[in-house]
Amino acid sequence: MSDTVTAADAVADCIRSRRTTKLFIDRPVPREHVLAAIELARWAPNHHLTEPWHFYLLGEQSRLQTIELIKTITHDNKGPELAAFKAESAAAIPGWLVVTCKRSSDALLEREDYAACCCAIHNLTLYLSAHGISAKWSTGPVTRDARLFELLNIDADRKFVVGLIWFGYPSVKPEQSRSELDSSFTELD
Ligand SMILES: Cc1cc2nc3c(=O)[nH]c(=O)nc-3n(C[C@H](O)[C@H](O)[C@H](O)COP(=O)(O)O)c2cc1C
């Protein structure tokens, strides 16, 4: 087997084996893997090289404040039982990262910047996955709540949240499938 085939297989395996994971074991993720993942994320394709992303790695205080905010939002929208459940589940998640994208008055530029941020997040989660670390990209209500921007000191006029990325070593890695290739592929003459 040539080196190229081996490298291509490794990339394919990395892409295929990454799974969105909601449950994590109680084991800290080495900081160097997280920092390397953020560094690598920025090598995403990016039209005009605007580098529209920003990565906020939450420490203990901001993590606890965000969990409290999730609890409050869920309480107000869905009631106390679900709020307590969400807060408990969130408290068991070891890694918290918020990824923002620059706002722009130019709709096309903002769309392209958002696409680049999505590619960056995928780079990040693929790299973590290669280290056995799973993630869940969340776009839940907290990611659009003004109080999150306030507590993380993010200027909501200049940035929006692309994702809250939870990560850690998985306790259960779910099975996933995709539909037949034919349903999403057309080859033209
Ligand atoms: C932009 C984006 C937003 C997502 N938001 C959520 C979310 O809020 N909650 C959630 O459970 N999963 C969310 N996901 C993860 C998807 O549910 C997940 O990718 C899908 O179930 C396929 O699973 P896989 O990632 O393991 O292939 C999001 C994924 C993307 C790309």
Side-chain angles (χ1 to χ4, degrees):
M1 198 183 288
S2 75
D3 286 350
T4 314
V5 171
T6 309
D9 287 348
V11 171
D13 184 57
C14 186
I15 291 170
R16 223 184 284 277
S17 64
R18 179 210 55 83
R19 280 286 68 74
T20 293
T21 302
K22 300 177 187 191
L23 298 172
F24 305 96
I25 61 170
D26 184 15
R27 176 179 164 197
V29 173
R31 185 177 163 76
E32 69 260 29
H33 291 340
V34 181
L35 297 183
I38 293 169
E39 196 288 317
L40 198 59
R42 307 167 314 122
W43 288 92
N46 172 208
H47 199 188
H48 307 302
L49 278 181
T50 54
E51 302 195 47
W53 38 66
H54 199 92
F55 303 86
Y56 296 83
L57 183 60
L58 275 56
E60 196 50 24
Q61 186 187 318
S62 43
R63 178 176 163 266
L64 291 175
Q65 288 171 322
T66 305
I67 293 170
E68 204 47 45
L69 178 57
I70 290 171
K71 191 175 181 183
T72 303
I73 294 170
T74 312
H75 182 280
D76 294 350
N77 296 336
K78 307 260 166 117
E81 266 178 41
L82 192 62
F85 172 76
K86 287 253 180 190
E88 197 184 329
S89 313
I93 301 169
W96 292 63
L97 191 63
V98 169
V99 183
T100 62
C101 178
K102 263 184 213 161
R103 289 191 186 281
S104 173
S105 52
D106 178 334
L108 177 60
L109 182 62
E110 187 169 296
R111 184 181 158 119
E112 291 190 335
D113 280 348
Y114 173 70
C117 288
C118 292
C119 294
I121 292 174
H122 198 48
N123 281 357
L124 181 136
T125 58
L126 284 175
Y127 179 80
L128 291 177
S129 181
H131 277 291
I133 300 156
S134 291
K136 176 176 155 180
W137 178 341
S138 169
T139 46
V142 73
T143 64
R144 292 176 292 281
D145 195 292
R147 289 165 289 184
L148 181 76
F149 289 77
E150 215 169 289
L151 80 87
L152 301 183
N153 202 18
I154 297 169
D155 184 350
D157 291 333
R158 298 182 57 209
K159 296 172 182 179
F160 62 95
V161 173
V162 180
L164 165 58
I165 313 299
W166 285 313
F167 58 91
Y169 291 95
S171 64
V172 183
K173 204 170 163 188
E175 294 283 313
Q176 261 293 355
S177 63
R178 295 294 188 263
S179 48
E180 291 299 314
L181 179 60
D182 283 0
S183 65
S184 47
F185 174 61
T186 303
E187 191 167 18
L188 304 165
D189 289 335

